[in-house]
Amino acid sequence: MPLDQSFVGRSYPPTEPYLVGREKIREFARAIGATEREYHDPEAARAIGYSDVIAPPTFPIVMTMASSHAQIVEDPELGIDYSRVVHGDQKFAYARPIVAGDALVCVNTVEEITSRGGHDFMTTRSEVTTEAGEPVVTVWAKLVQRGEE
């Protein structure tokens, strides 16, 4: 069954704030092999103008994947069969780096749904801001639901 096209443009309520922790940033950086000092050492981050360690550019996936999955993918009306989903693409547009201590909120939107060759392609957009509404990063993800075999 194809994805419901009426979901295009649908936004979900803001998530609860995600408190970015220093150790979570360090763990993520180690997991992806990012050795830059500003990801691990608060003094190195302060030396370049930040209050604490900063997150590697792909760090927002930690919160946006969880929130978009909970809100969009698990929405039964959309009709996603997650057993047939693969990740197709990811893109980030930053207003500023994520810093340990940030409390971040995501607003998730279904930006596009298309079908080609029996497969459905869905692009989601997550607007990540501080609790006060300051823009931090916009994250796009493309999920591909393979056609039934």
Side-chain angles (χ1 to χ4, degrees), residues 101-117:
D102 281 339
L104 301 176
V105 174
C106 299
V107 173
N108 298 303
T109 301
V110 176
E111 193 163 89
E112 179 181 51
I113 297 174
T114 59
S115 295
R116 293 188 303 269

Side-chain angles (χ1 to χ4, degrees), residues 14-16 28 31 34 42 45 48-50 61 63 69-70 80-81 83 90 94 96 103 106 110 117-118 135 137 147:
T15 62
E16 290 295 315
F28 185 87
I48 59 171
Y50 298 99
I61 196 71
M63 71 197 96
H69 185 88
I80 291 181
D81 177 355
S83 70
Q90 193 77 48
Y94 272 90
R96 68 156 176 86
C106 299
V110 176
V137 61

Side-chain angles (χ1 to χ4, degrees), residues 10-12 15 67-68 71-72 106-110 125-126:
R10 183 176 295 191
S11 291
Y12 291 78
T15 62
S67 69
S68 66
Q71 291 184 323
I72 298 172
C106 299
V107 173
N108 298 303
T109 301
V110 176
R125 183 182 73 246
S126 299

Side-chain angles (χ1 to χ4, degrees), residues 48-84:
I48 59 171
Y50 298 99
S51 60
D52 207 325
V53 295
I54 60 173
T58 55
F59 181 83
I61 196 71
V62 170
M63 71 197 96
T64 60
M65 184 175 175
S67 69
S68 66
H69 185 88
Q71 291 184 323
I72 298 172
V73 173
E74 292 182 5
D75 188 331
E77 294 177 20
L78 179 58
I80 291 181
D81 177 355
Y82 200 68
S83 70
R84 294 187 291 125

